Amino acid sequence: MRILVANDDGIFSPGIKALAFALRELGEVRVVAPDVEQSGVGHSITFRRPLRFKHTAAAGFGEIPAYRVDGTPADCVVLGSQLLGRPDVVVSGINIGVNMGLDLTHSGTVAAALEGTSLGIPSIAFSLDASGEELRFEEAARYAVPLVRWVLEHGLPPKTLLNVNFPNRTPLGLRITRLSTHRYEDQVVARTDPEGRPYYWLAGQPTAEMEEGTDFWAVQQGYISVTPITLDYTDYAFAALLEGRLTLEGLCSG
């Protein structure tokens, strides 16, 4: 089995290292990750400049082939799949910090799995709650192995990936969850540089409602959260409601 491991925290992140080493028992692991942190870039693809794809021995992966890319997480999956052979599964993470609810719209970790899914490859995104003094990547990676094994054995539906969030503790169990209201309340911090010119920081604090059955609830309660995510964003119920009610003739006559 070929396993492609990517992330958005960069090639030197301890999370991707723990995940790559743990997955060796399942097959041939290849690591392709950004050369610098790419958190928050979402599902962006680089197409207006060339990309560099370099083997690296300095990241500490030992015998696991590891490559760094001066691009986005999605770029890493595209290049890894094309240049190293099509993998049987794409695994992204383990991210430093959870990716839940509306975080998914800008998460580079989830974007790597989205790209794998769009290529028709079963894909999983892994993230770890960053609360606490010590981040338990190795323990999370041990629980990631049976999840990846299950996907390799059973596959996933078309256009569907798994978004997995670990509590930063020994989990009480696993829950199949839905997306929560988890999001960042954005704010703009205005400052001035030494020459008197304004610049801005986009900042924010995470917020979510504690609703049972959601990814946020599960992680807060100490469970591993597994949320199936589909690439089909169509709201079929609303589309059916609009059918016959929203027409070009009706809009122009109104």
Side-chain angles (χ1 to χ4, degrees):
M1 291 291 183
R2 290 179 175 175
I3 303 169
L4 176 61
V5 183
N7 75 349
D8 73 352
D9 287 324
I11 191 74
F12 296 102
S13 171
I16 194 172
K17 202 171 299 183
L19 186 58
F21 282 124
L23 291 175
R24 288 181 300 176
E25 68 177 81
L26 300 181
E28 299 177 9
V29 176
R30 301 289 184 269
V31 173
V32 182
D35 57 1
V36 296
E37 183 181 348
Q38 292 286 325
S39 298
V41 301
H43 198 182
S44 58
I45 292 285
T46 303
F47 60 89
R48 296 190 181 278
R49 65 171 179 83
L51 289 167
R52 306 294 181 183
F53 182 86
K54 298 180 180 179
H55 181 268
T56 178
F61 287 93
E63 296 180 356
I64 299 175
Y67 302 83
R68 55 198 299 177
V69 176
D70 62 339
T72 68
D75 293 334
C76 293
V77 173
V78 172
L79 290 175
S81 300
Q82 292 288 327
L83 302 180
L84 303 178
R86 184 178 177 85
D88 296 291
V89 64
V90 169
V91 181
S92 181
I94 300 170
N95 189 65
I96 303 173
V98 293
N99 280 297
M100 303 186 293
L102 297 180
D103 293 353
L104 270 61
T105 60
H106 53 72
S107 166
T109 302
V110 176
L114 283 169
E115 186 60 30
T117 303
S118 71
L119 297 174
I121 304 167
S123 302
I124 315 172
F126 290 110
S127 303
L128 175 67
D129 180 21
S131 62
E133 296 182 1
E134 180 183 358
L135 298 182
R136 302 162 69 127
F137 288 114
E138 285 74 18
E139 184 172 6
R142 289 199 297 272
Y143 289 105
V145 172
L147 284 166
V148 176
R149 180 185 293 115
W150 189 93
V151 168
L152 285 168
E153 292 175 352
H154 299 277
L156 292 172
K159 299 182 180 180
T160 300
L161 63 97
L162 295 183
N163 184 47
V164 179
N165 285 278
F166 296 105
N168 193 27
R169 53 176 285 187
T170 299
L172 300 176
L174 180 148
R175 292 289 185 269
I176 305 303
T177 56
R178 64 184 184 276
L179 292 180
S180 63
T181 59
H182 193 271
R183 67 192 184 280
Y184 281 84
E185 292 288 356
D186 294 326
Q187 61 179 1
V188 177
V189 178
R191 295 180 180 174
T192 305
D193 69 17
E195 296 183 2
R197 296 172 300 188
Y199 69 92
Y200 305 92
W201 280 102
L202 297 182
Q205 293 294 324
T207 179
E209 297 176 6
M210 183 67 76
E211 186 177 354
E212 185 172 349
T214 65
D215 49 12
F216 180 73
W217 172 86
V219 171
Q220 291 297 307
Q221 296 299 312
Y223 294 99
I224 299 171
S225 165
V226 179
T227 309
I229 305 295
T230 176
L231 268 65
D232 189 348
Y233 298 145
T234 307
D235 186 335
Y236 289 98
F238 190 49
L241 182 65
L242 290 177
E243 190 69 36
R245 300 186 181 185
L246 188 62
T247 64
L248 182 61
E249 293 80 5
L251 289 172
C252 292
S253 63

